[in-house]
């Protein structure tokens, strides 16, 4: 029998065997896996064990989570890096082309959180734009906002395109919080804070 071995995959797993590796640890792991599955099915059939867990489950939760991440600015290539799930699978799940997915795949996708991304990653700028508008509506001028953010020119645009670096977005979020939500230390709370400037 021709023996295939994989150099990149982790050995000694059923997954590696099912991808074609026939090295000894993988074969042993596969045999173990099959034996277990058969046992679970047999016990369920005889009515002495729980029904076997389905291997594939509806991908609805994973799809919703991927769409949520997309709204936050994280596309499939960023999620693929974090989750280890291939980008093609992510695209198919998100678009709805793939209706079910492996339990493990779902868990990997659900474990990706928006705060896991690197500061230099680009995110959608819609949210940051909204915060900026709110600050302007509260009476802050562009020059003031630029000054608070540490930008060099008073007239420069804070956000230039559809996307913005994650760290910059966080900075705007922080400024927004300190300008519009946080009462000054020497002032009573619930005071109208329009036009408030940095303490
Ligand atoms: Zn192997």
């Amino acid at each position: 029998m021709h023996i295939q071995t994989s150099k990149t995959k982790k050995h000694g797993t059923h997954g590696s065997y099912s991808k074609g590796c026939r090295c000894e640890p993988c074969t042993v792991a596969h045999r173990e896996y099959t034996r277990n599955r058969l046992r679970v099915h047999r016990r369920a059939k005889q009515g002495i064990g729980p029904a076997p867990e389905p291997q594939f489950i509806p991908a609805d939760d994973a799809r919703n989570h991927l769409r949520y991440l997309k709204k936050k600015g994280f596309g499939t290539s960023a999620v693929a890096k974090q989750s280890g799930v291939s980008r093609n699978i992510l695209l198919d799940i998100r678009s709805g082309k793939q209706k079910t997915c492996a339990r493990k795949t779902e868990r990997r996708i659900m474990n990706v959180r928006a705060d896991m991304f690197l500061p230099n990653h680009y995110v959608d700028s819609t949210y940051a734009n909204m915060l900026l508008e709110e600050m302007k509506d509260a009476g802050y001028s562009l020059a003031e906002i630029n000054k608070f953010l540490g930008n060099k020119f008073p007239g420069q645009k804070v956000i230039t395109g559809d996307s913005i670096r994650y760290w910059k977005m966080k900075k705007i979020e922080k400024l927004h919080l300190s300008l519009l939500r946080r009462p000054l230390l020497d002032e009573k709370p619930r005071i109208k804070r329009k036009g408030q400037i940095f303490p």
Side-chain angles (χ1 to χ4, degrees):
M1 186 185 123
H2 175 67
I3 298 177
Q4 273 182 292
T5 53
S6 157
K7 279 185 181 135
T8 52
K9 289 278 171 301
K10 205 178 134 204
H11 289 277
T13 60
H14 160 72
S16 174
Y17 182 94
S18 67
K19 287 209 179 83
C21 184
R22 295 293 181 267
C23 77
E24 177 145 14
C26 291
T27 310
V28 171
H30 170 70
R31 200 181 298 139
E32 189 73 12
Y33 172 87
T34 313
R35 196 180 291 146
N36 260 327
R37 255 192 90 66
L38 290 175
R39 183 169 166 273
V40 168
H41 278 269
R42 192 173 57 240
R43 284 173 66 86
K45 212 171 171 186
Q46 293 168 348
I48 50 175
E53 283 196 344
Q55 306 246 58
F56 279 79
I57 55 172
D60 298 330
D61 286 348
R63 181 176 313 112
N64 287 337
H65 191 56
L66 286 173
R67 287 182 178 169
Y68 158 79
L69 288 171
K70 193 192 175 194
K71 248 183 220 164
K72 285 244 154 182
F74 306 111
T76 46
S77 51
V79 178
K81 259 185 218 153
Q82 291 287 349
S83 63
V85 179
S86 90
R87 201 171 154 238
N88 284 336
I89 292 179
L90 294 175
L91 281 170
D92 284 351
I93 289 177
R94 195 177 70 188
S95 71
K97 190 177 155 198
Q98 186 175 327
K99 304 254 185 295
T100 60
C101 66
R103 197 168 281 277
K104 211 190 219 166
T105 305
E106 190 209 43
R107 201 172 55 234
R108 281 182 179 163
I109 293 172
M110 299 309 283
N111 279 343
V112 177
R113 299 185 321 269
D115 60 10
M116 284 163 70
F117 293 92
L118 291 171
N120 267 340
H121 193 93
Y122 278 105
V123 297
D124 194 276
S125 63
T126 313
Y127 175 58
N129 263 319
M130 189 197 80
L131 297 180
L132 268 185
E133 285 310 309
E134 277 185 21
M135 286 188 270
K136 284 180 189 166
D137 287 347
Y140 294 99
S141 69
L142 182 62
E144 279 174 315
I145 293 170
N146 270 325
K147 196 177 154 218
F148 292 146
L149 289 172
N151 292 338
K152 207 170 167 188
F153 304 108
Q156 84 183 70
K157 275 184 100 174
V158 181
I159 299 163
T160 45
D162 294 340
S163 56
I164 180 175
R165 299 263 190 201
Y166 185 68
W167 66 264
K168 207 170 165 189
M169 191 267 275
K170 289 313 262 185
K171 208 170 158 189
I172 293 172
E173 199 177 32
K174 227 171 147 181
L175 178 66
H176 178 272
L177 188 79
S178 73
L179 290 181
L180 302 183
R181 301 279 156 77
R182 196 170 62 191
L184 283 172
L185 287 176
D186 53 356
E187 273 174 349
K188 278 179 254 149
R190 243 180 267 114
I191 190 176
K192 198 179 177 196
R193 287 192 292 280
K194 199 164 183 170
Q196 174 192 345
I197 49 164
F198 262 158

